[in-house]
Amino acid sequence: MHIAILTFEGYNELDSLIALGLLNRVKQPELRVTIASPAPTVRSMNGVVIESMATLEEACAADAVIVGSGSRTREVVEDPAIMDVLRGLDPARQLLAAQCSGTLVLARLGLLNGVPACTDRTSKPWVVAAGVEVLNQPFYARDNVATAGGCLASHYLATWIIARLAGPEAAEEALAYVVPVGEKEEYIGRAMRNVRPYLRSEQALALG
């Protein structure tokens, strides 16, 4: 089972790396979580350089994909070489999630047609201009597509993906590793309140 986090030049560390850390708390030997980038290395908006672990082509074949945000997302959506590859993303066969300006990528790919979405304050005008209704809430999902708004909402996307692929209990267990000491019930409760309304009983199972 492969979960890819699309991470571009100028990426936001809070989006890509919080999701990476939380998803890797699911202790299943068949689970593989990767940073997928169009280049061998990418530099964050704050200068943190990381190595790509998967190609964009490999991400398009993954079971789940998170599109991270960053300071150069508008350049990404204007890059034909990147966008042509990402047209291989397909919510009919994989979970797709986007964080903040990553929502613009899904919008420009036509994957949010008729679906409202979440994004951050800075990215909202760009997403609206792409024809998508932006909601004033941190998380929203419909079928196999989810979006989140605000850097610290990144764990909602990870929680949703874990709940969809391994079940809500696995999501709660993963969260329990990372929440502040003494605030376990508060943090896990909030995360599940945001995610659970978008989980039908048949969705809280592995894809297939």
Side-chain angles (χ1 to χ4, degrees):
M1 186 181 298
H2 180 199
I3 303 173
I5 304 171
L6 300 188
T7 304
F8 303 103
E9 192 70 15
Y11 73 92
N12 185 322
E13 305 94 336
L14 295 176
D15 295 354
S16 293
L17 301 183
I18 288 177
L20 178 75
L22 184 53
L23 289 165
N24 273 304
R25 296 292 182 171
V26 180
K27 300 306 180 184
Q28 296 186 0
E30 70 277 11
L31 178 66
R32 181 167 68 104
V33 185
T34 64
I35 296 292
S37 304
T41 63
V42 286
R43 183 181 299 272
S44 79
M45 59 196 300
N46 294 307
V48 180
V49 178
I50 59 174
E51 295 184 358
S52 177
M53 302 162 66
T55 65
L56 297 185
E57 289 82 359
E58 289 172 321
C60 288
D63 299 282
V65 179
I66 294 176
V67 186
S69 74
S71 61
R72 299 177 63 177
T73 305
R74 285 187 291 177
E75 296 177 31
V76 170
V77 298
E78 298 299 336
D79 188 326
I82 293 176
M83 296 299 279
D84 284 349
V85 174
L86 296 185
R87 287 189 177 88
L89 296 174
D90 184 0
R93 58 175 176 79
Q94 60 191 166
L95 300 181
L96 299 179
Q99 176 75 32
C100 295
S101 66
T103 300
L104 178 62
V105 176
L106 294 187
R108 292 288 290 271
L109 289 170
L111 297 172
L112 295 177
N113 290 341
V115 180
C118 302
T119 189
D120 64 288
R121 181 175 58 183
T122 299
S123 305
K124 179 178 178 179
W126 314 332
V127 176
V128 170
V132 176
E133 177 191 357
V134 173
L135 303 171
N136 184 33
Q137 61 191 63
F139 177 84
Y140 179 82
R142 179 180 295 178
D143 299 325
N144 286 346
V145 179
T147 53
C151 301
L152 294 181
S154 58
H155 70 295
Y156 294 152
L157 292 182
T159 298
W160 176 75
I161 286 176
I162 296 169
R164 287 291 310 273
L165 294 178
E169 294 79 11
E172 293 186 20
E173 290 176 7
L175 286 166
Y177 280 105
V178 302
V179 297
V181 172
E183 298 180 342
K184 176 181 176 180
E185 291 76 14
E186 178 183 351
Y187 270 76
I188 294 178
R190 182 188 303 115
M192 297 310 296
R193 283 195 301 273
N194 277 283
V195 170
R196 197 178 293 277
Y198 305 102
L199 296 174
R200 299 196 304 270
S201 59
E202 68 270 21
Q203 288 182 317
L205 301 170
L207 289 175

